[in-house]
Amino acid sequence: MSNTNKTTGWQVRDVIYLAIIAIFFGVIYQLWSLPYTLIAATPLKPFANDLTIGVWVMAGPLASLIIKKPGAGLLGEVIAATVEMFLFSQWGVLNLISGFIQGAPAELGFTVTGYHTWSKRNLFLSTIFMTIITFIWDLFQNGYLAYQLSLLISLFIIRFLSIGFFAGVLVYLIAKMLHQAGLR
């Protein structure tokens, strides 16, 4: 997988890749609400969000790795959230805010190197930023502030593992397969 950005501006091909990623993940995100809802209907409810969040943040890092342009991660996540919303998501317009909250830290992982590299290291940084920033959001949005410290630590670790696996390892493998197939 190439680590450098060969062109600086967005090409038609980049927009097409962004649309495909966003539409694909928008549908996946909507379907993924079923496992979340099933977990939330059990005594494991406090863990439902953190166990499942890794899938909900995949579009941003994948768009960044595939398109290799500034803004791709944020746009990928926000557009995927928009698609999910239009598929009658149970969260409605809140999807747009979530898309931004999830996409901005995905973008940060590549911003720290000034968009000069698109490596595993940048992807790892994205997973760290996504874990921290989305967790801070949930402290306020989903009432995590009411939880005891031991539960908060558990939720944070579970979130990091979920994001690390889905938005880190799986995204890297998908990007690598697409590169090997000559699609990017």
Side-chain angles (χ1 to χ4, degrees), residues 7-127:
T7 61
T8 56
W10 281 71
Q11 310 295 315
V12 172
R13 178 175 66 175
D14 300 325
V15 175
I16 293 169
Y17 281 129
L18 181 66
I20 291 169
I21 290 167
I23 292 168
F24 176 79
F25 277 102
V27 171
I28 295 296
Y29 292 173
Q30 177 60 10
L31 295 172
W32 194 241
S33 64
L34 180 61
Y36 166 84
T37 303
L38 291 174
I39 295 169
T42 72
L44 295 174
K45 181 179 181 168
F47 299 95
N49 188 43
D50 299 280
L51 286 167
T52 59
I53 195 168
V55 171
W56 273 310
V57 297
M58 289 177 73
L62 185 63
S64 289
L65 281 181
I66 298 299
I67 299 168
K68 295 183 169 102
K69 301 281 191 270
L74 178 61
L75 286 172
E77 199 64 51
V78 170
I79 297 170
T82 303
V83 170
E84 179 188 9
M85 179 187 72
F86 283 121
L87 293 174
F88 304 105
S89 165
Q90 63 187 347
W91 294 283
V93 176
L94 186 58
N95 277 37
L96 301 179
I97 297 168
S98 294
F100 182 81
I101 299 291
Q102 295 165 353
E107 189 77 25
L108 281 175
F110 298 93
T111 304
V112 295
T113 60
Y115 297 104
H116 294 296
T117 61
W118 307 87
S119 65
K120 285 189 245 184
R121 181 178 140 242
N122 295 93
L123 185 59
F124 179 71
L125 289 173
S126 286
T127 63

Side-chain angles (χ1 to χ4, degrees), residues 122-140:
N122 295 93
L123 185 59
F124 179 71
L125 289 173
S126 286
T127 63
I128 299 271
F129 287 132
M130 285 186 290
T131 300
I132 293 169
I133 292 172
T134 62
F135 195 80
I136 291 169
W137 169 252
D138 282 327
L139 285 172
F140 302 98

